[in-house]
Amino acid sequence: MVLDATPLDGQVALVTGASSGIGEATAEALADAGASVALAARRESELQTVADGIESAGGEALVVPTDVTEEEQVESMIDATVSEFGGLDILVNNAGVMLLEAVEDADTDNWRQMIAVNLTGLMSATKAALPAMKERGGGHVVNVSSIAGRKAMATGSGYNATKFGVNGFTEAFRQEVTDEGIRTTIIEPGLVDTELADHIPDEEIQSQTEEWVDSIDPLTGEDIARSIRFAVSQPQHVSINEMLIRPTQQEM
């Protein structure tokens, strides 16, 4: 069997959190597979750099600056993608923050921010994308969760709560849209070397996390992007609902 090098020709993808890390790598991987890709995040200049790279490689990219915590901006993000490319086939909800703190020391504003970005933003984007996908006769929603959506950890209570929520929301949504030809995939990375840890507010926890990353051979954004490309490139009757991806050296 010969695999198609460009299995997503003619498809339209939208990736949130596309300015760096997993989102950037995923946008590039989907464009390489033939999809036209809309790039969403708050940092417009970084998005433009990613778009320039995709276009210089012969792909199509659209920059859509978006704060996923603002529902009107999320709806505009979907509208801009459909207007530019004529539809929407793949939504990758990747935008996220990881603000690790013990409950006793937690700033509850950090909890609210994680809920707004990691969970409510993902839910809003999924809802906003649904009409466009139904109009195309199907689609694929990929939600980037975490191993933290399966296994709770001390100092991760707020982050765990959002990722457990992503998993529950995605499975319920999957059951609602099976007759619409819409597939769902939960991506659950283990330790990935991205800038996510840079924003941990507790300096001791941040230092411990960085030491953990340095102690093993962690995953990269490209590793996760390959997995996402694989999931969305399957035949229509094949739905890969969940992918747990750890570095080989990660025990937990």
Side-chain angles (χ1 to χ4, degrees), residues 175-186:
Q175 294 177 29
E176 293 177 11
V177 296
T178 53
D179 291 340
E180 304 287 352
I182 295 172
R183 300 179 289 178
T184 66
T185 301
I186 302 169

Side-chain angles (χ1 to χ4, degrees), residues 26-48:
T26 298
E28 292 170 347
L30 299 184
D32 183 64
S36 300
V37 183
L39 314 171
R42 291 181 300 173
R43 299 178 295 183
E44 184 171 2
S45 60
E46 283 86 346
L47 289 178
Q48 191 59 59

